[in-house]
mmCIF file of all heavy atoms in Angstrom:
data_model
loop_
_atom_site.group_PDB
_atom_site.id
_atom_site.type_symbol
_atom_site.label_atom_id
_atom_site.label_comp_id
_atom_site.label_asym_id
_atom_site.label_seq_id
_atom_site.Cartn_x
_atom_site.Cartn_y
_atom_site.Cartn_z
ATOM 1 N N ARG F 129 2.949 -13.967 16.718
ATOM 2 C CA ARG F 129 2.274 -15.174 17.385
ATOM 3 C C ARG F 129 0.744 -14.978 17.208
ATOM 4 O O ARG F 129 0.227 -13.935 17.123
ATOM 5 C CB ARG F 129 2.630 -14.955 18.906
ATOM 6 C CG ARG F 129 4.010 -15.130 19.192
ATOM 7 C CD ARG F 129 4.561 -16.398 18.969
ATOM 8 N NE ARG F 129 5.768 -16.456 19.689
ATOM 9 C CZ ARG F 129 6.065 -17.313 20.610
ATOM 10 N NH1 ARG F 129 5.160 -18.086 20.951
ATOM 11 N NH2 ARG F 129 7.279 -17.353 21.204
ATOM 12 N N CYS F 130 0.206 -16.132 17.135
ATOM 13 C CA CYS F 130 -1.207 -16.171 17.040
ATOM 14 C C CYS F 130 -1.795 -15.688 18.389
ATOM 15 O O CYS F 130 -1.340 -16.080 19.445
ATOM 16 C CB CYS F 130 -1.623 -17.714 16.959
ATOM 17 S SG CYS F 130 -3.405 -17.955 17.046
ATOM 18 N N PRO F 131 -2.746 -14.724 18.171
ATOM 19 C CA PRO F 131 -3.247 -14.176 19.517
ATOM 20 C C PRO F 131 -4.134 -15.049 20.246
ATOM 21 O O PRO F 131 -4.458 -14.805 21.384
ATOM 22 C CB PRO F 131 -3.946 -12.926 19.036
ATOM 23 C CG PRO F 131 -4.212 -13.224 17.572
ATOM 24 C CD PRO F 131 -3.162 -14.152 17.052
ATOM 25 N N VAL F 132 -4.419 -16.196 19.735
ATOM 26 C CA VAL F 132 -5.334 -17.150 20.437
ATOM 27 C C VAL F 132 -4.525 -18.274 21.026
ATOM 28 O O VAL F 132 -4.590 -18.677 22.277
ATOM 29 C CB VAL F 132 -6.602 -17.811 19.506
ATOM 30 C CG1 VAL F 132 -7.250 -18.796 20.132
ATOM 31 C CG2 VAL F 132 -7.403 -16.602 19.175
ATOM 32 N N CYS F 133 -3.577 -18.867 20.217
ATOM 33 C CA CYS F 133 -2.917 -20.150 20.739
ATOM 34 C C CYS F 133 -1.518 -19.965 20.906
ATOM 35 O O CYS F 133 -0.715 -20.819 21.261
ATOM 36 C CB CYS F 133 -3.330 -21.379 19.816
ATOM 37 S SG CYS F 133 -2.437 -21.300 18.274
ATOM 38 N N THR F 134 -0.992 -18.725 20.557
ATOM 39 C CA THR F 134 0.482 -18.351 20.648
ATOM 40 C C THR F 134 1.415 -19.146 19.660
ATOM 41 O O THR F 134 2.583 -19.011 19.818
ATOM 42 C CB THR F 134 1.008 -18.449 22.110
ATOM 43 O OG1 THR F 134 1.278 -19.784 22.404
ATOM 44 C CG2 THR F 134 0.171 -17.726 23.119
ATOM 45 N N ARG F 135 0.870 -20.023 18.731
ATOM 46 C CA ARG F 135 1.723 -20.615 17.786
ATOM 47 C C ARG F 135 2.159 -19.533 16.850
ATOM 48 O O ARG F 135 1.581 -18.418 16.768
ATOM 49 C CB ARG F 135 0.977 -21.623 16.999
ATOM 50 C CG ARG F 135 0.676 -22.964 17.910
ATOM 51 C CD ARG F 135 0.120 -23.945 16.931
ATOM 52 N NE ARG F 135 -0.271 -25.234 17.696
ATOM 53 C CZ ARG F 135 -1.418 -25.466 18.144
ATOM 54 N NH1 ARG F 135 -2.438 -24.603 17.913
ATOM 55 N NH2 ARG F 135 -1.580 -26.613 18.726
ATOM 56 N N ARG F 136 3.072 -19.831 15.992
ATOM 57 C CA ARG F 136 3.595 -18.856 15.084
ATOM 58 C C ARG F 136 2.389 -18.598 13.916
ATOM 59 O O ARG F 136 1.778 -19.413 13.522
ATOM 60 C CB ARG F 136 4.783 -19.439 14.269
ATOM 61 C CG ARG F 136 6.076 -19.425 15.086
ATOM 62 C CD ARG F 136 7.149 -19.964 14.263
ATOM 63 N NE ARG F 136 6.816 -21.054 13.491
ATOM 64 C CZ ARG F 136 6.862 -21.239 12.155
ATOM 65 N NH1 ARG F 136 7.413 -20.333 11.458
ATOM 66 N NH2 ARG F 136 6.422 -22.308 11.526
ATOM 67 N N LEU F 137 2.434 -17.330 13.520
ATOM 68 C CA LEU F 137 1.716 -16.904 12.408
ATOM 69 C C LEU F 137 2.470 -17.099 11.087
ATOM 70 O O LEU F 137 3.687 -16.781 11.181
ATOM 71 C CB LEU F 137 1.294 -15.443 12.549
ATOM 72 C CG LEU F 137 0.065 -15.341 13.606
ATOM 73 C CD1 LEU F 137 -0.036 -13.725 13.787
ATOM 74 C CD2 LEU F 137 -1.101 -15.951 13.302
ATOM 75 N N PHE F 149 -1.849 -16.493 8.723
ATOM 76 C CA PHE F 149 -2.697 -17.598 9.228
ATOM 77 C C PHE F 149 -1.871 -18.233 10.274
ATOM 78 O O PHE F 149 -0.727 -18.259 10.307
ATOM 79 C CB PHE F 149 -3.248 -18.607 8.176
ATOM 80 C CG PHE F 149 -2.241 -19.291 7.561
ATOM 81 C CD1 PHE F 149 -1.838 -20.601 7.848
ATOM 82 C CD2 PHE F 149 -1.661 -18.767 6.307
ATOM 83 C CE1 PHE F 149 -0.953 -21.293 7.234
ATOM 84 C CE2 PHE F 149 -0.713 -19.615 5.601
ATOM 85 C CZ PHE F 149 -0.418 -20.832 6.137
ATOM 86 N N CYS F 150 -2.653 -18.865 11.118
ATOM 87 C CA CYS F 150 -1.974 -19.608 12.381
ATOM 88 C C CYS F 150 -1.399 -20.881 11.858
ATOM 89 O O CYS F 150 -2.074 -21.680 11.087
ATOM 90 C CB CYS F 150 -3.023 -19.813 13.386
ATOM 91 S SG CYS F 150 -2.526 -20.742 14.881
ATOM 92 N N SER F 151 -0.172 -21.159 12.414
ATOM 93 C CA SER F 151 0.490 -22.558 11.998
ATOM 94 C C SER F 151 -0.195 -23.615 12.691
ATOM 95 O O SER F 151 0.130 -24.848 12.431
ATOM 96 C CB SER F 151 1.924 -22.507 12.220
ATOM 97 O OG SER F 151 2.219 -22.242 13.594
ATOM 98 N N GLY F 152 -1.138 -23.298 13.587
ATOM 99 C CA GLY F 152 -1.790 -24.372 14.236
ATOM 100 C C GLY F 152 -3.127 -24.661 13.462
ATOM 101 O O GLY F 152 -4.037 -25.261 13.950
ATOM 102 N N TYR F 153 -3.253 -24.201 12.267
ATOM 103 C CA TYR F 153 -4.489 -24.296 11.422
ATOM 104 C C TYR F 153 -5.009 -25.764 11.538
ATOM 105 O O TYR F 153 -6.134 -26.060 11.576
ATOM 106 C CB TYR F 153 -4.176 -23.866 10.050
ATOM 107 C CG TYR F 153 -5.538 -23.775 9.162
ATOM 108 C CD1 TYR F 153 -6.270 -22.624 9.358
ATOM 109 C CD2 TYR F 153 -5.941 -24.780 8.404
ATOM 110 C CE1 TYR F 153 -7.456 -22.478 8.510
ATOM 111 C CE2 TYR F 153 -7.123 -24.663 7.742
ATOM 112 C CZ TYR F 153 -7.799 -23.566 7.754
ATOM 113 O OH TYR F 153 -9.066 -23.507 7.045
ATOM 114 N N GLY F 156 -6.730 -27.014 14.387
ATOM 115 C CA GLY F 156 -8.033 -26.520 14.676
ATOM 116 C C GLY F 156 -8.025 -24.997 14.984
ATOM 117 O O GLY F 156 -9.114 -24.501 15.365
ATOM 118 N N CYS F 157 -6.953 -24.276 14.921
ATOM 119 C CA CYS F 157 -6.976 -22.875 15.165
ATOM 120 C C CYS F 157 -7.115 -22.199 13.776
ATOM 121 O O CYS F 157 -6.222 -22.284 12.915
ATOM 122 C CB CYS F 157 -5.590 -22.500 15.870
ATOM 123 S SG CYS F 157 -5.618 -20.714 16.203
ATOM 124 N N LYS F 158 -8.132 -21.474 13.565
ATOM 125 C CA LYS F 158 -8.422 -20.991 12.320
ATOM 126 C C LYS F 158 -8.183 -19.364 12.267
ATOM 127 O O LYS F 158 -8.834 -18.731 11.539
ATOM 128 C CB LYS F 158 -9.903 -21.249 12.000
ATOM 129 C CG LYS F 158 -10.341 -22.737 12.100
ATOM 130 C CD LYS F 158 -9.730 -23.513 11.034
ATOM 131 C CE LYS F 158 -10.279 -24.901 11.128
ATOM 132 N NZ LYS F 158 -9.266 -26.025 10.882
ATOM 133 N N VAL F 159 -7.384 -18.976 13.271
ATOM 134 C CA VAL F 159 -7.072 -17.505 13.230
ATOM 135 C C VAL F 159 -6.373 -17.070 11.902
ATOM 136 O O VAL F 159 -5.407 -17.731 11.503
ATOM 137 C CB VAL F 159 -6.187 -17.181 14.375
ATOM 138 C CG1 VAL F 159 -5.674 -15.769 14.304
ATOM 139 C CG2 VAL F 159 -7.005 -17.393 15.682
HETATM 140 ZN ZN1 ZN O 366 -3.604 -20.072 16.715
#
Side-chain angles (χ1 to χ4, degrees):
R129 297 291 192 119
C130 171
V132 171
C133 71
T134 73
R135 290 188 183 93
R136 288 179 317 124
L137 292 169
F149 62 94
C150 178
S151 61
Y153 191 85
C157 182
K158 308 293 185 213
V159 166

